[in-house]
Amino acid sequence: MKTQLANVAFRDDYIRIYQNARRYMAQNGNPEQWAGKDFALDVERDIADGVLYETRNDDGVLLGVFAMLPSPDPTYAVIDGKWLTDGDYYVLHRVASSFAEGRFLERVLEYASGVCPVLRIDTHRDNLPMQKAILRNGFTYCGIITLENGDPRLAYERIRK
């Protein structure tokens, strides 16, 4: 398995992964998350900012993409609840699997934990599969954060020991 910075040459592949993930969420009880989202803008911005990563298996099959950003994240500055830590952290955003193999989040976390021991992530209240995966991977629910557009998100933090 290899995780590396995303390559603009695969832009359309990344966009398709996000579109398929949005479709999957809508079909599985989470129709609001990423609704109306322009993934091309996110992908292009994240590549330009050097925060979009791809993960491929040993055969070169694209397993998924995610954004990983260093702190501080403005949307995490205010929480209705309490973070576990007050120091530096990395945030995982826009985690999306190609569904080529299972347990994509575990692969993302393995990579991200090697970069920073403190990780934060959030998800929509209706994204039950992601909530289960987050908790299964050692995150602690910390409270509710609010996105710039006013939408609430369930927020979690994990400290690698």
Side-chain angles (χ1 to χ4, degrees):
M1 180 191 73
K2 183 175 185 180
T3 298
Q4 62 191 10
L5 282 171
N7 183 325
V8 71
F10 300 107
R11 170 194 175 274
D12 292 343
D13 295 330
Y14 306 147
I15 292 168
R16 268 191 295 281
I17 287 173
Y18 283 121
Q19 290 169 335
N20 289 339
R22 176 177 52 200
R23 206 169 9 264
Y24 174 84
M25 286 189 289
Q27 294 169 349
N28 289 279
N30 186 13
E32 293 179 31
Q33 188 171 357
W34 294 352
K37 191 120 175 95
D38 185 344
F39 294 114
L41 289 175
D42 284 339
V43 165
E44 290 165 4
R45 183 193 62 237
D46 286 349
I47 289 173
D49 291 346
V51 298
L52 189 67
Y53 292 80
E54 66 168 38
T55 298
R56 294 181 181 269
N57 69 13
D58 293 337
D59 295 325
V61 174
L62 182 60
L63 301 179
V65 291
F66 62 97
M68 185 172 71
L69 295 84
S71 58
D73 184 319
T75 52
Y76 285 45
V78 176
I79 185 169
D80 182 6
K82 182 161 178 36
W83 294 113
L84 302 176
T85 64
D86 293 323
D88 292 337
Y89 58 90
Y90 267 71
V91 177
L92 299 172
H93 285 303
R94 295 176 290 286
V95 177
S97 169
S98 69
F99 300 103
E101 294 180 11
R103 303 219 179 256
F104 177 65
L105 181 62
E106 284 84 347
R107 296 166 189 230
V108 169
L109 295 174
E110 181 181 326
Y111 178 82
S113 292
V115 174
C116 182
V118 180
L119 301 174
R120 292 182 181 176
I121 194 168
D122 65 83
T123 194
H124 192 280
R125 72 181 176 279
D126 293 335
N127 195 344
L128 299 179
M130 185 62 148
Q131 290 173 43
K132 289 177 185 175
I134 288 169
L135 292 171
R136 183 177 61 239
N137 282 283
F139 280 83
T140 300
Y141 173 74
C142 293
I144 308 268
I145 56 126
T146 304
L147 303 180
E148 286 181 16
N149 68 4
D151 288 347
R153 292 290 184 266
L154 305 178
Y156 303 82
E157 186 171 40
R158 182 178 97 165
I159 304 165
R160 184 187 70 204
K161 299 188 184 211

